[in-house]
Amino acid sequence: MENENQKKVILSGIQPSGELTLGSYLGAIKNWVKLSDEYECYYMLADLHSITVRQNPADLRRRTLTQIAAYIACGLDPEKNTIFIQSHVPAHAELGWVLDCYTMFGELSRMTQFKDKSAKNADNINAGLFTYPALMAADILLYQADLVPVGEDQKQHVEICRDIANRFNGVYGETFRIPEPFIPKVGARVMSLTSPGNKMSKSDKDPNGCVYVLEKPEDIMRKFKKAVTDSDTERCVRYDRAEKPGVANLMAIYSAATGKTYEEIEREFDGKGYGAFKPAVGEAVVELFRPIREETERLLADKSYLESVYRAGAEKAGYVSNKTLRKVYKKVGFVAR
């Protein structure tokens, strides 16, 4: 096995299906930045996954590039992290097919996300939508990843990946490292501003529920001013997730944006109403995102730099993933190229 002193490998990806949200920034990307010193990190723009739902081609290209620029602007240093576009590394699709043949129909039928997406896209329940957990397993296993950063709601994907890897290893001997889900402890769940019982999501029916990293400051402010709270007037800004979910969500966001504790926030707004609190949260988020938005715009204007980042990323990702793919092809009995 490898040298014990080698860094552990982390693989994570986000579909370029829209702008980065406040939830994905606080729950994932902010934590990713801290990981690069301790781990070998691969970050993938999962464009192969995104076409299970119909995309406008020009929008998909634009969003992919915007997301790479936003990743870098959020602090992901391309010198320390491998940032690449999934479709630029053919090994993903190749291993995805092999793993399709080691993934059981029953396992795929039970995947919660397949049921959810089928309900939302009833006119386009395609084979890719059904088999994408096998492609996701390929994404992870190609890099012999130790850890996969996921939210609580995504653990099922890592579990099926482990099942597929164990099944393959059981037939052919040790081929894949078995990954573990890596659930960040801080800020993992940011809830919708309009329905605080639900996670903040791009698919929120009410567009005011979700805040985007690259949104205009005035739009961010408008959404926070409309955020759902409650009818309390006395000591209304206090943390109580069960009884005051809207306020608790805003406090969690304010805390993440400013570094203040809940006790400090309660003291700051003691005797003040939501009319003072909600704009203050909005302001804090605007200031948190201002440098990211400005840097993203600067990077998007420098097309040759962005191209150099994703090409270098694909080259490194291709080198590492092809080592795994060659091993798999040999084990299943394919003739060497």
Side-chain angles (χ1 to χ4, degrees), residues 27-291:
I29 297 161
K30 195 177 172 195
N31 294 304
W32 290 358
V33 174
K34 301 169 194 161
L35 299 174
S36 58
D37 295 328
E38 205 178 325
Y39 299 97
E40 181 72 34
C41 298
Y42 292 85
Y43 294 116
M44 170 185 89
L45 280 296
D47 56 345
L48 294 177
H49 284 288
S50 67
I51 63 166
T52 58
V53 176
R54 292 283 173 266
Q55 302 286 337
N56 174 307
D59 284 349
L60 181 59
R61 274 190 286 274
R62 177 183 53 77
R63 287 199 304 257
T64 303
L65 293 175
T66 301
Q67 212 143 308
I68 292 172
Y71 274 4
I72 299 167
C74 286
L76 284 185
D77 182 348
E79 300 295 319
K80 291 183 180 178
N81 302 279
T82 305
I83 300 171
F84 67 99
I85 298 169
Q86 185 186 23
S87 62
H88 289 188
V89 182
H92 286 259
E94 293 183 64
L95 183 60
W97 168 253
V98 174
L99 296 185
D100 272 341
C101 303
Y102 293 83
T103 308
M104 299 302 127
F105 187 89
E107 289 174 312
L108 295 172
S109 317
R110 288 191 293 274
M111 295 299 286
T112 323
Q113 210 153 354
F114 172 67
K115 294 174 190 166
D116 292 350
K117 286 199 171 180
S118 302
K120 283 180 189 159
N121 301 281
D123 56 338
N124 181 26
I125 304 173
N126 56 68
L129 197 59
F130 187 63
T131 64
Y132 82 90
L135 176 59
M136 196 176 279
D139 301 333
I140 296 163
L141 299 174
L142 277 171
Y143 301 92
Q144 303 292 350
D146 297 281
L147 300 166
V148 186
V150 286
E152 278 289 353
D153 55 334
Q154 292 273 327
K155 273 172 80 173
Q156 199 184 20
H157 292 129
V158 183
E159 282 158 16
I160 194 172
C161 172
R162 288 164 60 89
D163 291 342
I164 296 165
N166 278 316
R167 183 176 297 130
F168 193 94
N169 288 355
V171 177
Y172 297 106
E174 195 171 315
T175 310
F176 298 122
R177 181 168 292 151
I178 309 300
E180 297 280 346
F182 177 73
I183 298 168
K185 288 182 176 56
V186 185
R189 277 175 88 77
V190 174
M191 312 310 275
S192 163
L193 296 186
T194 50
S195 43
N198 301 323
K199 192 175 162 187
M200 183 178 283
S201 165
K202 289 185 274 250
S203 53
D204 199 323
K205 287 187 179 67
D206 184 341
N208 291 311
C210 187
V211 173
Y212 297 97
V213 173
L214 303 178
E215 224 170 343
K216 291 180 181 147
E218 57 270 30
D219 291 336
I220 293 175
M221 288 303 294
R222 181 177 49 75
K223 287 180 180 180
F224 275 100
K225 283 176 183 168
K226 285 185 172 177
V228 166
T229 47
D230 51 45
S231 54
D232 284 358
T233 50
E234 294 294 312
R235 272 196 67 242
C236 52
V237 179
R238 65 181 192 280
Y239 192 85
D240 184 338
R241 181 65 82 176
E243 296 297 319
K244 298 168 70 67
V247 177
N249 185 42
L250 290 174
M251 286 179 74
I253 293 167
Y254 192 60
S255 171
T258 62
K260 292 175 181 174
T261 65
Y262 293 149
E263 291 76 17
E264 287 169 335
I265 296 167
E266 285 176 12
R267 278 201 302 276
E268 183 182 346
F269 293 98
D270 190 21
K272 296 177 186 170
Y274 297 135
F277 177 54
K278 293 199 284 189
V281 183
E283 249 345 301
V285 171
V286 165
E287 290 313 312
L288 178 70
F289 288 158
R290 189 185 303 281

